[in-house]
C-alpha cells in the first residue's frame, strides 16, 4: 500500500524536538543523557510504525527509557503524536534508517531490542533483509549489554520459525516462546496496531525472547 506524503511532516518533527531526536548519530554512547533518569535501562524498538507499542510501553514502564526507530516519515509522525498523547517523558523517536545500529549506538549501550511485525521478506533471495538474519544479530549483539535480550513479535509463522532457527544457530538462548500470545493472556502485553488488526481476524500472534550468552 502506497503511503500518502505529508508535506508538513518535516516541520512537525522539528517542532517536537523534545520527543524527536534531531541529530541521532551524534548521540552514540550518550543516549541516556536525553532522559530525566539516566540510570534507567535503555530499550530500543526497531520499526516503531505508528507508535502504539512504544507509547504504551513508555507509559506502562516508567522505570525504562525507550528509543523508537522508524524510517518512514509519513508513519513516524503518527508515532510522535501517540507519544505526546501518552504524556510520558521516557520515550524518544528517531527518523532514520540505521543500516548498521553500530553507527547509532555504542557497544553495550542497549538493554533490550524489540522487533514488532517486521517485514517477513518471504522470498529466499531476500533472506538477508530479514531483521533476524545473522548479520543483524551481529549488530544486536554488539550494541546490547551482556545477556541483552531481543524480543520478536509477529503474525507471520514463516518468519517466526525462521527466527527461532536463526537465534539458535547464532548461539542465543531462547527464554520465552509463545505460538499463541493472546491465548496465553499475558497481562503486560502491549499490542501494536498490526497486532490488533490480525488478532481480531483470529490470526495467532507469535512471540519469542532470546538473549545472547555471556
Amino acid at each position: 500500500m502506497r503511503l500518502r506524503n505529508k508535506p508538513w511532516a518535516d516541520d512537525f518533527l522539528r517542532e517536537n524536538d523534545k520527543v524527536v531526536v534531531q541529530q541521532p548519530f551524534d548521540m552514540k554512547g550518550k543516549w541516556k543523557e536525553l532522559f530525566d533518569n539516566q540510570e534507567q535501562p535503555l530499550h530500543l524498538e526497531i520499526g516503531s510504525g505508528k507508535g502504539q507499542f512504544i507509547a504504551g510501553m513508555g507509559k506502562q514502564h516508567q522505570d525504562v527509557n525507550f528509543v523508537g526507530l522508524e524510517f518512514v516519515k509519513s508513519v513516524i509522525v503518527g508515532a510522535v503524536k501517540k507519544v505526546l498523547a501518552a504524556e510520558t517523558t521516557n520515550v524518544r523517536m528517531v527518523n532514520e534508517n540505521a543500516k548498521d545500529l553500530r553507527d547509532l549506538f555504542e557497544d553495550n549501550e542497549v538493554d533490550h531490542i524489540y522487533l514488532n511485525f517486521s517485514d517477513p521478506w518471504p522470498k529466499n533471495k531476500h533472506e538477508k533483509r530479514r531483521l533476524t538474519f545473522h548479520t543483524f544479530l551481529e549488530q544486536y549483539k554488539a550494541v546490547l549489554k551482556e545477556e541483552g535480550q531481543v524480543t520478536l513479535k509477529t503474525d507471520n509463522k514463516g518468519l517466526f520459525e525462521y527466527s527461532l532457527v536463526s537465534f539458535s544457530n547464532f548461539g542465543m538462548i531462547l527464554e520465552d516462546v509463545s505460538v499463541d500470545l493472546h491465548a496465553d493472556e499475558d497481562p503486560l502485553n502491549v499490542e501494536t496496531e498490526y497486532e490488533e488488526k490480525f488478532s481480531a481476524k483470529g490470526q495467532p500472534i507469535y512471540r519469542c525472547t532470546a538473549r545472547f550468552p555471556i
Side-chain angles (χ1 to χ4, degrees):
M1 181 177 68
R2 185 175 181 180
L3 296 172
R4 181 179 299 177
N5 182 45
K6 294 181 172 64
W8 48 267
D10 285 322
D11 290 339
F12 177 80
L13 295 178
R14 282 194 296 267
E15 291 166 0
N16 289 284
D17 56 0
K18 289 185 178 180
V19 171
V20 184
V21 182
Q22 304 298 312
Q23 302 293 334
F25 292 100
D26 293 342
M27 297 310 302
K28 181 177 179 179
K30 300 181 291 185
W31 284 94
K32 288 191 174 183
E33 296 178 9
L34 294 175
F35 300 94
D36 294 337
N37 190 334
Q38 299 183 19
E39 301 306 315
Q40 295 185 160
L42 183 67
H43 289 197
L44 169 67
E45 183 187 20
I46 301 175
S48 293
K50 297 179 181 179
Q52 182 166 297
F53 176 82
I54 198 164
M57 289 291 283
K59 196 166 186 176
Q60 184 180 100
H61 300 281
Q62 295 289 328
D63 58 343
V64 175
N65 295 327
F66 293 91
V67 173
L69 192 64
E70 174 56 54
F71 176 60
V72 182
K73 194 168 295 182
S74 59
V75 173
I76 195 175
V77 291
V80 173
K81 289 180 179 179
K82 285 188 173 69
V83 172
L84 291 170
E87 297 183 338
T88 182
T89 61
N90 61 331
V91 179
R92 299 291 183 273
M93 300 300 302
V94 176
N95 180 216
E96 286 289 350
N97 180 9
K99 296 180 180 179
D100 194 327
L101 289 179
R102 289 165 291 196
D103 294 332
L104 275 170
F105 298 92
E106 192 60 79
D107 288 356
N108 308 311
E109 190 171 12
V110 180
D111 294 89
H112 200 125
I113 290 175
Y114 301 95
L115 308 172
N116 290 318
F117 296 85
S118 308
D119 192 327
W121 296 105
K123 295 182 180 180
N124 289 335
K125 65 180 180 179
H126 293 150
E127 179 186 11
K128 293 182 180 179
R129 299 183 183 182
R130 298 171 193 161
L131 292 184
T132 51
F133 187 64
H134 69 85
T135 55
F136 286 104
L137 299 184
E138 290 169 1
Q139 295 180 38
Y140 307 157
K141 184 177 181 181
V143 302
L144 281 168
K145 293 181 179 179
E146 287 188 349
E147 297 192 323
Q149 296 175 310
V150 178
T151 294
L152 168 76
K153 189 156 57 170
T154 181
D155 66 299
N156 189 286
K157 185 178 180 181
L159 177 62
F160 184 70
E161 293 175 342
Y162 170 88
S163 300
L164 292 179
V165 172
S166 184
F167 289 153
S168 297
N169 287 345
F170 201 81
M172 299 178 70
I173 299 169
L174 297 175
E175 294 191 322
D176 175 64
V177 177
S178 175
V179 296
D180 194 346
L181 178 59
H182 289 194
D184 294 341
E185 298 183 348
D186 180 356
L188 297 179
N189 179 50
V190 176
E191 297 187 21
T192 75
E193 291 86 354
Y194 278 117
E195 186 172 351
E196 286 186 346
K197 175 183 176 181
F198 292 127
S199 63
K201 296 179 179 180
Q203 169 70 43
I205 304 300
Y206 308 95
R207 185 179 70 182
C208 68
T209 294
R211 68 174 173 85
F212 295 97
I214 297 177

